[in-house]
Amino acid sequence: YSYGVLLASAYLLALYYAVRRARRFGLDGNRVLDLGIYIIISALVGAKLLLLIVDFDYFWRQPGELWTLVRSGGVFYGGLVLAFLVGLWYVRKHRLPIWPIADAVAPSIALGHVVGRFGCLLAGCCYGTPTSLPWGITFTDPFAASNVGTPLHVALHPTQMYDAGAEFLILALLLGTERFWRRHAGWTFWVYILLYGISRFAIEFYRGDPRGATMGFSTSQWISMALVPLAAIMMAALWKRGAAPAGEKK
């Protein structure tokens, strides 16, 4: 149940931080607040939909397990992609500046992900493969095994913390270097997508939970392989265009 608390905390903290950043950049905080609510709902739905797709065979054989989607967090990439599409629809509908808002929101996604991964750790989900490394983590609670299939009494890679640590470093990098590319609206967002895609691709090799696989790569790795070059292309295009974001309030 700590998972649900931390997941809710992650969304609320990310929303609060996004609104604060938007107002600091001279954007309409109320619009961003409304946008954040749309993003939260679409992120939850998208994450669960991708989980359903990845584990379709399991749910097809055991349709009674579909109710577990209600209490599961789902797959992060599914939430990210659907949230981006819904967010794009919202900003176009209200004629808001797309890339300045994306830049304001991107660090909030990283911040929320850091908090959310601690929920994964406490629930035992998103666990790693067995390891002999000294920082391996051992789960012992039978509920973790029955709930999400966590292996018990064996040291595992703490992939939840690998992901949280990667997100924290990405967050620090975004905030520490943002001033250098502020005139290139959209760069902060696409730098986040680029760095997260690279880190997620690497961390997936240490994941031990079933996540679907095609030609040796997990679903999230295939998505990473699509998003990383897309992010690089968008960064190049935005740099060349040199669009200026909304003025930051001092």
Side-chain angles (χ1 to χ4, degrees), residues 58 62 65 67-68 71 123-124 127 139-152:
Y58 171 77
Q62 303 185 56
E65 293 296 308
W67 71 274
T68 61
R71 56 187 176 85
Y127 53 85
F139 293 91
T140 59
D141 193 332
F143 182 71
S146 63
N147 188 36
V148 291
T150 312
L152 303 181

Side-chain angles (χ1 to χ4, degrees), residues 109-134:
I109 300 173
L111 177 60
H113 205 170
V114 171
V115 177
R117 281 307 187 193
F118 277 92
C120 295
L121 177 69
L122 295 178
C125 63
C126 307
Y127 53 85
T129 54
T131 181
S132 58
L133 293 171

Side-chain angles (χ1 to χ4, degrees), residues 26-111:
L27 301 168
D28 188 338
N30 291 329
R31 284 294 187 192
V32 174
L33 178 61
D34 292 341
L35 170 63
I37 294 173
Y38 277 97
I39 287 177
I40 289 174
I41 295 173
S42 57
L44 286 168
V45 172
K48 296 174 191 298
L49 282 176
L50 187 53
L51 177 61
L52 176 62
I53 293 171
V54 170
D55 292 338
F56 182 78
D57 288 341
Y58 171 77
F59 289 114
W60 178 261
R61 293 192 305 268
Q62 303 185 56
E65 293 296 308
L66 282 170
W67 71 274
T68 61
L69 290 172
V70 176
R71 56 187 176 85
S72 67
V75 180
F76 174 77
Y77 262 141
L80 179 64
V81 172
L82 186 59
F84 176 78
L85 294 176
V86 171
L88 185 62
W89 163 80
Y90 182 90
V91 297
R92 287 188 178 278
K93 176 182 178 182
H94 295 282
R95 298 181 179 179
L96 302 174
I98 295 175
W99 298 126
I101 286 183
D103 287 344
V105 170
S108 303
I109 300 173
L111 177 60

Side-chain angles (χ1 to χ4, degrees), residues 171-193:
L171 173 63
L173 181 65
L174 292 180
L175 297 181
T177 61
E178 188 174 40
R179 65 184 181 276
F180 296 115
W181 53 61
R182 278 302 315 282
R183 74 184 186 88
H184 301 283
W187 247 63
T188 297
F189 174 79
W190 288 109
V191 167
Y192 169 73
I193 296 297

